[in-house]
Amino acid sequence: MKRTNIINGDEYHQIPVNEDFYEEEEESASSSSGHAMGGAASPSSSSSQSNNNFKQHELTKTLASQNRYDLRLFIRLIHIIKLLYSSPIIPGIMVLFLLGLAISQTYASSLTGKLLANVYTYLADGDTHSLLRSLLFGLFSLTLSALLDSTIKFTVGIIAWRWRKTLCLTIQNQYFDNNLFYRIMAFDTRIDNPDQRITSDIDNFTTLMANVLSQMITGPLVVGYYTFLTWRGMGWYAPAIIYGFFILGYIANKFIMSPLVSVSYLQDKLEGDFRYLHLRIRTFAESIALQSLTRDPTVSQTMVEEEQAKQQFDVLLENKKKQICWQYGLNTTSDLFTYLSPLVNYLIIAIPLFIGTKKTIPFADVSVFSYNCIMLASGFSQYINVTANISDLSSYIQRISTMLEVCNQVKQQKYEAQQKQENDIVSSTEVQKQVGELKVEPSTLEILLKEVSYFTPKGESLFKNISLLIERGSSLLIMGPSGSGKSSLIRIINGLWPFFYGKIIKPANEQMFFLSQQPYLIYGSLEEQILYPYTIASKRISKQQMRELFERFDLGYLLDRERDIIARGDLNDLTHNWLNALSPGEQQLISFLRLLYHKPVFALMDESTSSIPQSMEKRVYQACKDQGISTISVGHRHSLTQYHQKLLTLDKQHNWKLQNIDNSSNNNDNNKLIETDSNNNNNNQQSSLI
Ligand SMILES: Nc1ncnc2c1ncn2[C@@H]1O[C@H](COP(=O)(O)OP(=O)(O)OP(=O)(O)O)[C@@H](O)[C@H]1O
């Protein structure tokens, strides 16, 4: 965290912001297409994301220089391996098992070498009896090799499965801990497409890594064993030449690997961005289709989304082309060394003839020597293949490591901020003024804001010195023009945004409930919608209770619909599509039923009645009142004033005004407003009273 000046010349001149925010702003703009939320999905942020998606040419250079085949990559790999072996017994046993299989396979393959030598000799001698015996022996050794080979592949699959489980759960645990996913998506700019990292990147990484591990285990065994055999059969020069040949191959590959790692890393990111663009089209299919209907058919222009998809796909294809070219270079060097190795082998076998130490080499020796050389070369080829895999692997290592690192850092930042708050509060009342303190007091049944000044995540000041007390049984309406900061205040109160100074005291979390304009419906039955954020594993609602609840807002027909779905056995509809199958008004009413079921002391509602008619709005607020739920509402409708006792008005000039609403008149238009408190920016008057 660094502290950045955001307002000149007053006491709020510093606010903690993400250190990398400004430095990475340009990059983040392009890379943040995966940040679905962008501060509770602000429309402005999403449009800037899409515009910036196409600046990826410049981004290529930045990312290419950041992600290379170097020591940092190696350190990151070690860190991931430590995680994979955090509970080492089972994975350790599996690696030992793999080692045992690799030793057995090396031994079985050496039997095949002997078999070949014998078969050549018996064929030359015409010894059919011995030949038959050798063939039977071959049947045994080759079957054993085949079985060992498939068992190795099976073990590799299981190791990959276990690693995926460990890594995915580790990241997911952090990601869901304390709403970290929100902080990463809303305020942090370093992680593009976190969903892709958790789902496909981890899967690809663990599968590839397990294969590399198997090659790394079998490679040294084969190399060690056949080094010994070639040395014994032909002398020191034979393994030395093969070693030199493959070291040359490794160096050639290394030169191509480094740029390929960067290109592959970028490719994964671009694939994620492209997929995200299509995901947005899926999510907003109806709005996009409706907008496209309004276009003038005489103006020939492709759809904006199509145009964006094309542009993004162009960038992706261009990088893919680069990746294919570098891959071609890498494959060429790998294949050259693999294909040339038999020639090198025969050259090695023929060296005694060239230097005159031998006149002939017996046929059986040739077959044994060449088999041993080929096996030694194949041991090295495994390393060369590993280097080819490492380019893909490195890209996944970078993506998974950044995810782990950012999760840790964001978590740590929160922890440090908390620590700092505690220390500051104890050490100095002066500092206390400059640090936001969000205190959950389980014993309290009121929400208190004391001289709260708050900001956007970008550090823009919204309002200063707001003081408020909302007691149990009272209610507050927050009004003001769009973008003035109403929702932001709700985010500050519920703790999603830490960008404030002053003091907020609120009751325990279970006493507070939040309703947004776009309700969140989970995959699940209607009962599960109501129980959310609890599950049916912890609570159940009887059928009669459900009926009574739904009838409160005339929604009983939804229960009938669900019954029909169950009767049809169409479980798929039941489990996943309530969000698409309900109108926005129905969705908002369901979230109110959820609220009534949970009966918190306070309900924070952000335009949560915007899609329901005023007559129903009245019933909803009456139901809250009957249940003793105090409402803090954000809204634009004047009709809302009649359901609240206090009105906080915010304006674009950052002035705020707190008024009591006198609802004694029956006529809603005649509600009197009595000002109790305000902050006018022009005279910078500060609130004095709660
Ligand atoms: N994640 C974010 N990062 C930076 N700025 C943001 C973010 N979210 C909101 N803002 C900005 O903060 C300001 C206040 O936004 P807020 O959502 O609180 O407005 P609002 O009064 O609730 O508007 P509306 O009535 O349209 O919902 C706006 O200028 C908005 O652009």
Side-chain angles (χ1 to χ4, degrees), residues 38-39 456-458 462 481-488 491 497 607 636:
T456 68
K458 288 203 173 177
L462 288 170
S482 292
S484 53
K486 305 181 294 296
S487 305
S488 308
R491 292 180 196 126
W497 281 14
E607 298 185 43
H636 292 285

Side-chain angles (χ1 to χ4, degrees), residues 499-678:
F499 312 112
F500 72 99
Y501 296 134
K503 188 171 183 175
I504 299 175
I505 299 176
K506 58 177 195 170
N509 287 344
E510 56 273 22
Q511 307 287 10
M512 314 221 351
F513 216 79
F514 180 73
L515 280 82
S516 59
Q517 185 176 14
Q518 171 61 56
Y520 174 57
L521 297 190
I522 56 163
Y523 287 169
S525 64
L526 288 175
E527 186 191 350
E528 286 170 297
Q529 306 301 338
I530 303 298
L531 285 174
Y532 184 80
Y534 297 96
T535 63
I536 47 175
S538 55
K539 291 180 183 199
R540 291 306 303 250
I541 313 176
S542 71
K543 279 194 173 156
Q544 193 196 339
Q545 225 184 329
M546 281 288 281
R547 178 66 59 180
E548 282 168 12
L549 199 61
F550 274 69
E551 289 301 351
R552 283 190 95 138
F553 298 145
D554 308 332
L555 292 176
Y557 64 93
L558 290 180
L559 292 172
D560 299 336
R561 195 191 292 176
E562 183 174 68
R563 194 191 50 219
D564 291 345
I565 294 171
I566 296 171
R568 280 204 309 273
D570 207 352
L571 279 178
N572 218 18
D573 267 1
L574 178 68
T575 49
H576 86 266
N577 243 350
W578 280 119
L579 201 62
N580 290 349
L582 298 178
S583 72
E586 286 171 326
Q587 292 177 31
Q588 287 194 338
L589 286 175
I590 289 208
S591 68
F592 272 105
L593 293 182
R594 194 183 272 165
L595 171 74
L596 295 184
Y597 171 78
H598 288 280
K599 281 197 213 107
V601 174
F602 290 100
L604 285 83
M605 310 182 187
D606 193 350
E607 298 185 43
S608 50
T609 53
S610 58
S611 302
I612 56 180
Q614 290 197 4
S615 56
M616 187 54 88
E617 183 179 77
K618 190 172 186 160
R619 285 170 64 181
V620 162
Y621 274 99
Q622 190 57 47
C624 289
K625 200 172 171 191
D626 295 346
Q627 299 258 22
I629 301 171
S630 302
T631 51
I632 300 172
S633 313
V634 166
H636 292 285
R637 282 187 196 164
H638 187 64
S639 62
L640 286 169
T641 49
Q642 60 188 303
Y643 314 119
H644 297 86
Q645 295 162 349
K646 286 182 182 174
L647 172 66
L648 177 67
T649 314
L650 310 178
D651 73 19
K652 281 278 200 184
Q653 284 69 46
H654 308 299
N655 299 313
W656 60 267
K657 194 165 56 180
L658 185 64
Q659 294 161 297
N660 281 335
I661 305 171
D662 178 3
N663 282 318
S664 52
S665 160
N666 285 338
N667 185 347
N668 169 25
D669 292 336
N670 293 339
N671 291 335
K672 271 196 228 149
L673 298 172
I674 303 147
E675 186 163 323
T676 59
D677 205 358
S678 68

Side-chain angles (χ1 to χ4, degrees), residues 75-227:
I75 294 170
R76 284 180 153 173
L77 175 65
I78 299 286
H79 181 67
I80 295 181
I81 291 175
K82 270 192 201 157
L83 254 179
L84 295 177
Y85 285 87
S86 45
S87 46
I89 297 177
I90 297 178
I93 289 175
M94 292 185 90
V95 170
L96 285 179
F97 182 58
L98 195 62
L99 184 67
L101 288 170
I103 293 171
S104 314
Q105 204 199 29
T106 311
Y107 178 69
S109 73
S110 75
L111 295 181
T112 313
K114 277 187 196 143
L115 167 81
L116 284 176
N118 290 342
V119 165
Y120 281 124
T121 313
Y122 299 141
L123 276 173
D125 295 352
D127 182 351
T128 50
H129 182 70
S130 302
L131 181 66
L132 215 58
R133 224 182 39 218
S134 277
L135 288 179
L136 277 176
F137 173 71
L139 180 69
F140 163 76
S141 65
L142 292 174
T143 310
L144 183 69
S145 289
L147 285 178
L148 285 168
D149 201 31
S150 61
T151 314
I152 286 177
K153 284 180 186 143
F154 168 77
T155 315
V156 165
I158 295 290
I159 289 177
W161 176 87
R162 261 202 83 85
W163 281 351
R164 183 181 181 186
K165 188 174 155 193
T166 310
L167 210 50
C168 194
L169 291 182
T170 308
I171 292 188
Q172 258 184 202
N173 282 349
Q174 297 208 22
Y175 195 57
F176 290 119
D177 183 33
N178 239 325
N179 284 342
L180 198 76
F181 63 91
Y182 175 81
R183 293 171 65 82
I184 286 177
M185 283 190 266
F187 317 133
D188 210 285
T189 53
R190 289 166 288 179
I191 302 284
D192 63 83
N193 304 300
D195 47 319
Q196 186 198 10
R197 293 177 196 234
I198 295 175
T199 54
S200 70
D201 287 355
I202 290 184
D203 184 27
N204 292 337
F205 167 74
T206 48
T207 309
L208 207 58
M209 180 76 185
N211 279 315
V212 167
L213 173 81
S214 133
Q215 288 168 338
M216 303 285 274
I217 287 180
T218 47
L221 284 173
V222 173
V223 168
Y225 187 60
Y226 286 96
T227 300

